[in-house]
Amino acid sequence: MYKRKLLALDYPQPDNFEINNESQVRALILWLEDQKIRHMKIEDRAGLRDVTSPKWSEAFQQYLTELCCPYDASKEDIVIDWLLGYAVRLEYGDDVDKYKSVNKGAVENAKNRQAGQSSNPLDALNFDDADFKAGVASLAMLMQVPPHQDHLQQLKAIALIVSERLSKDSLQSAAKKSDDKSKKADDHIPLDKTELGFEAGDYIMTEAAKIVRLLHLKELRDLQTKINAAIVAVQAITADPKTDSRLGKVGR
């Protein structure tokens, strides 16, 4: 009765889940909270994470209370089904457009893939064909990939280069770096127009002091850039709330 929801949530090995296996049940509950529901802060999940603790049931009941589950933890089969449905609703709410596009044809394709009847034309290719090997060799020369006795390994290397250097993100990053270099060139400050703010005693010492001051300013700007990047990275990690509009609250 749980298989369809487990499949929808991409749960590993959904066919092997057994509701009568207590260790599997606890592992599933922890997986749902860690991967899908994320209601609690990570540090607050210690009670659920210790699946062998005699106090685990208390932590689980408290967890259900926070989720406003209408069932008691003692009704394990019903509670598991409710949690799975709750997680599915959250998944749907995260990407409504993705699931709206699902139609009968997409479902049939998924069934065919599961039955081994792939609709991907690449699955019909003969990777040992002479023409295919020649194509890999030509592509390797174009991408400047070193020769290899195994053409499939060579193809993997080509794929890595394409992924790292020719992806949309990589091209955008390269364009940004190019713009940054242009801005840096535009920001060039002639030494003779730099104000030191004090006299060092003679011309040579004054010019040297100007150079030291400019180098110091550059180091400060680089440090500020790194600080800004660190702040953005932390915000990207922490800003991942999930909203349950039915409960009218924000979970994590």
Side-chain angles (χ1 to χ4, degrees):
M1 63 182 287
Y2 310 107
K3 184 177 179 180
R4 287 195 304 170
K5 293 177 181 177
L6 292 172
L7 286 171
L9 294 169
D10 293 326
Y11 184 70
Q13 299 181 334
D15 293 326
N16 298 331
F17 176 73
E18 297 180 4
I19 187 63
N20 296 322
N21 188 319
E22 189 66 24
S23 62
Q24 288 192 19
V25 169
R26 294 186 178 187
L28 171 62
I29 292 168
L30 178 59
W31 182 85
L32 287 173
E33 170 58 20
D34 279 341
Q35 302 296 327
K36 303 298 178 180
I37 299 176
R38 298 197 291 275
H39 170 77
M40 307 169 71
K41 294 181 179 179
I42 294 177
E43 58 270 22
D44 293 338
R45 300 174 192 171
L48 290 179
R49 205 173 298 283
D50 190 3
V51 295
T52 59
S53 170
K55 295 184 178 181
W56 187 91
S57 297
E58 297 178 14
F60 180 47
Q61 182 59 61
Q62 177 62 31
Y63 177 62
L64 293 178
T65 301
E66 292 184 14
L67 291 180
C68 297
C69 176
Y71 306 106
D72 187 81
S74 60
K75 301 177 181 179
E76 198 167 70
D77 55 341
I78 299 176
V79 168
I80 293 298
D81 188 59
W82 184 88
L83 283 174
L84 289 171
Y86 182 76
V88 169
R89 290 197 300 273
L90 291 177
E91 283 286 286
Y92 175 80
D94 281 349
D95 199 346
V96 176
D97 293 335
K98 172 185 174 182
Y99 296 104
K100 279 185 176 180
S101 63
V102 176
N103 51 36
K104 183 178 180 181
V107 174
E108 290 298 326
N109 288 337
K111 290 181 179 178
N112 290 337
R113 286 195 297 272
Q114 291 178 359
Q117 303 172 0
S118 176
S119 59
N120 189 345
L122 294 178
D123 293 336
L125 285 177
N126 180 6
F127 295 101
D128 292 321
D129 185 77
D131 290 337
F132 181 82
K133 292 181 179 180
V136 172
S138 299
L139 190 57
M141 292 179 62
L142 181 65
M143 303 294 294
Q144 298 182 348
V145 175
H148 195 282
Q149 60 183 1
D150 188 343
H151 65 287
L152 294 180
Q153 293 297 325
Q154 199 172 28
L155 185 60
K156 288 181 180 179
I158 294 171
L160 286 173
I161 291 176
V162 171
S163 175
E164 292 178 0
R165 300 182 184 176
L166 301 180
S167 65
K168 182 179 179 181
D169 291 340
S170 298
L171 293 175
Q172 288 178 346
S173 177
K176 185 177 183 300
K177 288 181 179 178
S178 178
D179 291 341
D180 290 343
K181 288 181 179 179
S182 299
K183 290 179 180 178
K184 288 181 180 179
D186 294 338
D187 291 341
H188 175 71
I189 302 175
L191 192 61
D192 58 352
K193 295 183 179 180
T194 301
E195 294 292 337
L196 181 59
F198 62 90
E199 290 297 330
D202 59 51
Y203 173 79
I204 295 177
M205 291 298 295
T206 300
E207 295 299 295
K210 288 181 180 180
I211 293 173
V212 171
R213 185 171 185 272
L214 289 175
L215 289 174
H216 178 61
L217 290 175
K218 182 180 181 302
E219 290 179 352
L220 289 178
R221 291 177 63 180
D222 291 342
L223 177 61
Q224 184 62 53
T225 300
K226 292 177 181 178
I227 292 173
N228 292 340
I231 293 173
V232 171
V234 172
Q235 290 175 340
I237 294 173
T238 58
D240 185 24
K242 278 183 174 284
T243 303
D244 184 354
S245 57
R246 187 182 65 82
L247 299 178
K249 64 186 289 188
V250 176
R252 296 188 61 171

